Amino acid sequence: MPGNSRAAPISIIVPVLDEAAMVPGMLAALRDFRARGCEVLVVDGGSRDATAELTRGSADRVLVATRGRASQMNAGTAAAQGDILLFLHADTRLPEKADALIRAGLAASGRAWGRFDVRIEGRHPLLRVVAGMMNLRSRWSGIATGDQALFMTRAAFDAVGGFPPIELMEDIAVSGRLNRISPPLCLYDRVTTSGRRWEKNGVLRTVVLMWWLRLQYFFGVSPGRLARAYRSGKIASRILVFARAPVAGEVKTRLIPALGAEGAMRLYGAMARQCIATAVQALSGAVQLWCAPGVTHAFFAQAQAEWGVSLHAQADGDIGLRMSAALRAALGEADAVLLIGSDVPSITVDDITAALAALAAGRDAVFVPTLDGGYALIGLRRHDPRLFESIAWSTPQVMAQTRERLCELAWDWLELPVRWDVDEEADLAQLAADPKLAHLLEQGG
């Protein structure tokens, strides 16, 4: 099936989902292509951030389709006008004259489809090796991945029935079908794709995971099952522990009548150490200690030396503003983030594991409520400052008001079993009665 003729119009179809950080730059990079007559269609899969709004005015059409790259790309094709279809990921940039290269290559080769070589952008030295292996494997196997910017004639797309409606491996599946029509045109010119998923989750770990998934697909494992394995295997997580410098008279002041300023300080320090140790046991190597009022106190340096946690200074403002800022920063480098207080010794490794599992399964948020009406743990996969606005912090209304915000945001959240924190004198009796935690009270004296 020959590639289409001279000056065949090209439709660039971009499936997106929660890519507000990427789409402005991506669409700016496509401006010259539009000026040369290419059509750009963005197909949103139900983003909950500002992705759809940011695309308007910078694309020829913005469509909404059922979530999933296959269904989104098929929907884009149904609305496209071009005789040649180019499928582009939001974090991938085309070479400068990609449209001319595609037209000339298809016309000269008589092939029906193809892809570019890829360069992976990032700091890790292995990314160049990974990209080279991807390009060699693709030439040898005739299979292309979405990162390589697949293109094909509309006739070829129609002949294979488009992308199969599967959750994962749609690029592998359509490549196999297209190979029955013609071998791929493998252009040496390179697209540039982001290395964010490799760097977030570990280069070697990501490579092994993707090879394992492809092997499983080859042996007939369902794409739905593979999609679940991919989602659980790729999630990068962080635990943030909020702590104050243990200074006599400045921490746990409501316990001073019972314990004295020094005793309240020692108890707080013991609880903070317990919390850090629990977090490290649950997710070693990914725990951050967020410190107030700064990171210079000896307690924080000791924690870093003992457990290898990284130190970060809390922002200014009330607890809501400080949590919001820390969570936003951590979500810039991880898929899921938990934040826990340092005065809830009843938090367990199982609580943390369950919270991370809930986020890995797709929940927007997870909480561990406390008996006093607040919460001891908050976990997020996404950030919205409205979640922390107009909350009566340090009152029994905190969790109830947070639920109202979650409903307003239409988020899907999970609440784990209620735990207790240590704020008042009455809480000391509960601490003393717990055989696993009573030693903390003894340290308070």
Side-chain angles (χ1 to χ4, degrees):
M1 180 177 298
N4 254 7
S5 61
R6 41 184 198 175
I10 293 179
S11 293
I12 302 173
I13 299 164
V14 188
V16 295
L17 180 69
D18 295 330
E19 290 285 7
M22 287 288 177
V23 292
M26 177 268 295
L27 290 169
L30 294 177
R31 193 177 296 128
D32 289 345
F33 290 88
R34 292 182 71 198
R36 294 195 294 268
C38 293
E39 175 188 37
V40 174
L41 300 96
V42 175
V43 190
D44 186 66
S47 294
R48 298 183 181 182
D49 62 8
T51 295
E53 291 77 8
L54 290 170
T55 61
R56 302 192 193 283
S58 299
D60 294 285
R61 296 191 65 178
V62 179
L63 309 170
V64 177
T66 304
R67 176 175 177 172
R69 277 191 175 136
S71 63
Q72 289 171 244
M73 291 187 291
N74 288 340
T77 299
Q81 302 297 312
D83 294 325
I84 296 174
L85 309 169
L86 169 59
F87 300 96
L88 183 67
H89 288 182
D91 60 358
T92 300
R93 301 293 178 267
L94 296 169
E96 184 178 357
K97 302 294 184 182
D99 48 344
L101 293 168
I102 292 170
R103 288 192 186 102
L106 291 178
S109 67
R111 296 186 178 182
W113 72 289
R115 90 317 176 259
F116 291 88
D117 273 1
V118 66
R119 181 180 77 86
I120 303 174
E121 192 173 49
R123 296 186 299 272
H124 201 290
L126 283 178
L127 291 177
R128 179 177 294 182
V129 177
V130 173
M133 294 295 291
M134 288 172 62
N135 298 329
L136 287 173
R137 184 198 68 232
S138 180
R139 279 194 168 78
W140 170 74
S141 67
I143 299 296
T145 68
D147 291 324
Q148 295 173 294
L150 278 77
F151 54 84
M152 64 195 72
T153 65
R154 179 178 288 275
F157 180 93
D158 291 340
V160 300
F163 289 91
I166 54 180
E167 296 181 63
L168 197 68
M169 301 293 177
E170 76 287 336
D171 47 1
I172 307 299
V174 82
S175 294
R177 296 180 181 183
L178 287 165
N179 269 311
R180 300 170 193 163
I181 298 174
S182 83
L185 171 64
C186 298
L187 294 175
Y188 285 95
D189 302 83
R190 295 181 180 183
V191 297
T192 301
T193 194
S194 169
R196 56 181 175 168
R197 77 172 184 267
W198 283 278
E199 291 185 330
K200 263 189 183 182
N201 306 308
V203 174
L204 291 177
R205 179 186 177 196
T206 302
V207 170
V208 170
L209 174 64
M210 295 310 300
W211 273 99
W212 179 81
L213 291 172
R214 290 186 182 116
L215 184 64
Q216 295 291 301
Y217 178 72
F218 177 78
F219 283 111
V221 177
S222 74
R225 182 176 173 184
L226 294 177
R228 290 189 292 274
Y230 175 65
R231 286 192 291 267
S232 64
K234 80 181 187 75
I235 189 167
S237 306
R238 301 287 186 274
I239 299 178
L240 318 184
V241 179
F242 257 39
R244 293 193 62 82
V247 176
E250 296 184 13
V251 292
K252 291 298 161 191
T253 55
R254 284 177 284 179
L255 299 179
I256 291 177
L259 301 177
E262 291 288 334
M265 176 195 70
R266 289 195 297 271
L267 174 59
Y268 175 76
M271 291 192 296
R273 288 178 57 83
Q274 166 90 11
C275 179
I276 297 167
T278 300
V280 170
Q281 185 180 350
L283 197 65
S284 179
V287 177
Q288 301 177 356
L289 184 58
W290 284 74
C291 314
V295 300
T296 58
H297 193 278
F299 177 85
F300 301 136
Q302 183 180 359
Q304 184 178 45
E306 184 171 352
W307 289 292
V309 298
S310 59
L311 303 183
H312 307 262
Q314 294 182 30
D316 295 328
D318 65 23
I319 185 63
L321 290 173
R322 288 182 277 132
M323 288 195 300
S324 180
L327 287 162
R328 182 179 65 246
L331 283 167
E333 63 183 37
D335 300 297
V337 175
L338 302 184
L339 187 153
I340 55 180
S342 50
D343 59 354
V344 190
S346 56
I347 285 281
T348 67
V349 170
D350 287 344
D351 292 329
I352 293 173
T353 302
L356 290 171
L359 296 176
R363 300 273 190 170
D364 296 311
V366 60
F367 294 85
V368 172
T370 53
L371 288 172
D372 62 4
Y375 53 80
L377 175 151
I378 175 175
L380 299 180
R381 281 190 67 112
R382 52 199 301 206
H383 178 268
D384 192 314
R386 291 173 292 178
L387 186 61
F388 304 94
E389 293 173 355
S390 302
I391 302 292
W393 301 108
S394 301
T395 73
Q397 285 75 50
V398 170
M399 192 66 226
Q401 291 175 347
T402 300
R403 292 186 189 103
E404 293 175 3
R405 300 293 177 279
L406 291 163
C407 291
E408 292 167 5
L409 294 171
W411 280 16
D412 178 19
W413 82 92
L414 174 70
E415 293 183 26
L416 295 172
V418 175
R419 299 300 181 193
W420 47 272
D421 53 8
V422 179
D423 283 323
E424 309 282 351
E425 289 185 41
D427 301 324
L428 298 176
Q430 191 158 14
L431 185 60
D434 190 317
K436 295 181 180 179
L437 301 174
H439 68 280
L440 300 175
L441 188 58
E442 294 170 5
Q443 294 180 49

